[in-house]
PDB file of all heavy atoms in Angstrom:
ATOM      1  N   ILE A  56      -3.222   6.222  -1.337  1.00 94.00           N
ATOM      2  CA  ILE A  56      -2.452   6.482  -0.114  1.00 94.00           C
ATOM      3  C   ILE A  56      -3.390   6.802   1.042  1.00 94.00           C
ATOM      4  O   ILE A  56      -3.205   6.308   2.161  1.00 94.00           O
ATOM      5  CB  ILE A  56      -1.426   7.615  -0.355  1.00 94.00           C
ATOM      6  CG1 ILE A  56      -0.325   7.112  -1.280  1.00 94.00           C
ATOM      7  CG2 ILE A  56      -0.849   8.121   0.956  1.00 94.00           C
ATOM      8  CD1 ILE A  56       0.614   8.186  -1.790  1.00 94.00           C
ATOM      9  N   LEU A  57      -4.410   7.625   0.792  1.00 95.00           N
ATOM     10  CA  LEU A  57      -5.383   7.943   1.847  1.00 95.00           C
ATOM     11  C   LEU A  57      -6.131   6.696   2.301  1.00 95.00           C
ATOM     12  O   LEU A  57      -6.350   6.507   3.502  1.00 95.00           O
ATOM     13  CB  LEU A  57      -6.370   9.011   1.360  1.00 95.00           C
ATOM     14  CG  LEU A  57      -5.813  10.422   1.233  1.00 95.00           C
ATOM     15  CD1 LEU A  57      -6.842  11.340   0.603  1.00 95.00           C
ATOM     16  CD2 LEU A  57      -5.370  10.941   2.589  1.00 95.00           C
ATOM     17  N   LEU A  58      -6.504   5.845   1.363  1.00 95.00           N
ATOM     18  CA  LEU A  58      -7.214   4.617   1.724  1.00 95.00           C
ATOM     19  C   LEU A  58      -6.354   3.734   2.622  1.00 95.00           C
ATOM     20  O   LEU A  58      -6.810   3.243   3.653  1.00 95.00           O
ATOM     21  CB  LEU A  58      -7.618   3.845   0.463  1.00 95.00           C
ATOM     22  CG  LEU A  58      -8.381   2.553   0.702  1.00 95.00           C
ATOM     23  CD1 LEU A  58      -9.773   2.856   1.250  1.00 95.00           C
ATOM     24  CD2 LEU A  58      -8.488   1.762  -0.576  1.00 95.00           C
ATOM     25  N   VAL A  59      -5.094   3.567   2.252  1.00 94.00           N
ATOM     26  CA  VAL A  59      -4.191   2.728   3.053  1.00 94.00           C
ATOM     27  C   VAL A  59      -3.909   3.377   4.415  1.00 94.00           C
ATOM     28  O   VAL A  59      -3.835   2.687   5.433  1.00 94.00           O
ATOM     29  CB  VAL A  59      -2.875   2.453   2.281  1.00 94.00           C
ATOM     30  CG1 VAL A  59      -1.842   1.802   3.170  1.00 94.00           C
ATOM     31  CG2 VAL A  59      -3.152   1.585   1.061  1.00 94.00           C
ATOM     32  N   ALA A  60      -3.790   4.704   4.448  1.00 94.00           N
ATOM     33  CA  ALA A  60      -3.484   5.390   5.703  1.00 94.00           C
ATOM     34  C   ALA A  60      -4.686   5.425   6.659  1.00 94.00           C
ATOM     35  O   ALA A  60      -4.515   5.260   7.864  1.00 94.00           O
ATOM     36  CB  ALA A  60      -3.007   6.813   5.412  1.00 94.00           C
ATOM     37  N   ILE A  61      -5.882   5.616   6.112  1.00 95.00           N
ATOM     38  CA  ILE A  61      -7.073   5.735   6.963  1.00 95.00           C
ATOM     39  C   ILE A  61      -7.587   4.370   7.415  1.00 95.00           C
ATOM     40  O   ILE A  61      -8.031   4.206   8.547  1.00 95.00           O
ATOM     41  CB  ILE A  61      -8.174   6.535   6.232  1.00 95.00           C
ATOM     42  CG1 ILE A  61      -7.701   7.978   6.049  1.00 95.00           C
ATOM     43  CG2 ILE A  61      -9.489   6.503   6.993  1.00 95.00           C
ATOM     44  CD1 ILE A  61      -8.582   8.812   5.144  1.00 95.00           C
ATOM     45  N   LEU A  62      -7.546   3.387   6.527  1.00 94.00           N
ATOM     46  CA  LEU A  62      -7.990   2.024   6.842  1.00 94.00           C
ATOM     47  C   LEU A  62      -6.807   1.069   6.660  1.00 94.00           C
ATOM     48  O   LEU A  62      -6.719   0.379   5.644  1.00 94.00           O
ATOM     49  CB  LEU A  62      -9.143   1.617   5.914  1.00 94.00           C
ATOM     50  CG  LEU A  62     -10.372   2.506   5.917  1.00 94.00           C
ATOM     51  CD1 LEU A  62     -11.301   2.129   4.782  1.00 94.00           C
ATOM     52  CD2 LEU A  62     -11.077   2.401   7.253  1.00 94.00           C
ATOM     53  N   PRO A  63      -5.893   1.000   7.624  1.00 92.00           N
ATOM     54  CA  PRO A  63      -4.644   0.274   7.418  1.00 92.00           C
ATOM     55  C   PRO A  63      -4.810  -1.176   6.966  1.00 92.00           C
ATOM     56  O   PRO A  63      -4.176  -1.575   5.992  1.00 92.00           O
ATOM     57  CB  PRO A  63      -3.955   0.336   8.782  1.00 92.00           C
ATOM     58  CG  PRO A  63      -4.552   1.514   9.454  1.00 92.00           C
ATOM     59  CD  PRO A  63      -5.950   1.625   8.942  1.00 92.00           C
ATOM     60  N   VAL A  64      -5.627  -1.952   7.615  1.00 92.00           N
ATOM     61  CA  VAL A  64      -5.738  -3.370   7.253  1.00 92.00           C
ATOM     62  C   VAL A  64      -6.598  -3.543   6.009  1.00 92.00           C
ATOM     63  O   VAL A  64      -6.180  -4.167   5.029  1.00 92.00           O
ATOM     64  CB  VAL A  64      -6.302  -4.201   8.430  1.00 92.00           C
ATOM     65  CG1 VAL A  64      -6.506  -5.636   8.026  1.00 92.00           C
ATOM     66  CG2 VAL A  64      -5.379  -4.111   9.641  1.00 92.00           C
ATOM     67  N   VAL A  65      -7.788  -2.961   6.014  1.00 94.00           N
ATOM     68  CA  VAL A  65      -8.703  -3.090   4.876  1.00 94.00           C
ATOM     69  C   VAL A  65      -8.096  -2.430   3.642  1.00 94.00           C
ATOM     70  O   VAL A  65      -8.134  -2.987   2.537  1.00 94.00           O
ATOM     71  CB  VAL A  65     -10.078  -2.474   5.215  1.00 94.00           C
ATOM     72  CG1 VAL A  65     -10.994  -2.495   4.018  1.00 94.00           C
ATOM     73  CG2 VAL A  65     -10.703  -3.213   6.385  1.00 94.00           C
ATOM     74  N   GLY A  66      -7.539  -1.236   3.801  1.00 91.00           N
ATOM     75  CA  GLY A  66      -6.921  -0.528   2.677  1.00 91.00           C
ATOM     76  C   GLY A  66      -5.768  -1.308   2.074  1.00 91.00           C
ATOM     77  O   GLY A  66      -5.594  -1.359   0.854  1.00 91.00           O
ATOM     78  N   LEU A  67      -4.987  -1.950   2.930  1.00 90.00           N
ATOM     79  CA  LEU A  67      -3.863  -2.758   2.447  1.00 90.00           C
ATOM     80  C   LEU A  67      -4.360  -3.936   1.626  1.00 90.00           C
ATOM     81  O   LEU A  67      -3.827  -4.222   0.544  1.00 90.00           O
ATOM     82  CB  LEU A  67      -3.046  -3.251   3.641  1.00 90.00           C
ATOM     83  CG  LEU A  67      -1.778  -4.041   3.344  1.00 90.00           C
ATOM     84  CD1 LEU A  67      -0.762  -3.153   2.654  1.00 90.00           C
ATOM     85  CD2 LEU A  67      -1.204  -4.601   4.629  1.00 90.00           C
ATOM     86  N   ILE A  68      -5.400  -4.584   2.086  1.00 92.00           N
ATOM     87  CA  ILE A  68      -5.960  -5.736   1.367  1.00 92.00           C
ATOM     88  C   ILE A  68      -6.556  -5.290   0.033  1.00 92.00           C
ATOM     89  O   ILE A  68      -6.307  -5.923  -1.006  1.00 92.00           O
ATOM     90  CB  ILE A  68      -7.010  -6.457   2.231  1.00 92.00           C
ATOM     91  CG1 ILE A  68      -6.332  -7.111   3.431  1.00 92.00           C
ATOM     92  CG2 ILE A  68      -7.777  -7.495   1.405  1.00 92.00           C
ATOM     93  CD1 ILE A  68      -7.287  -7.603   4.496  1.00 92.00           C
TER      94      ILE A  68
END
Side-chain angles (χ1 to χ4, degrees):
I56 290 170
L57 288 174
L58 181 69
V59 170
I61 294 170
L62 303 170
V64 176
V65 175
L67 184 66
I68 293 168

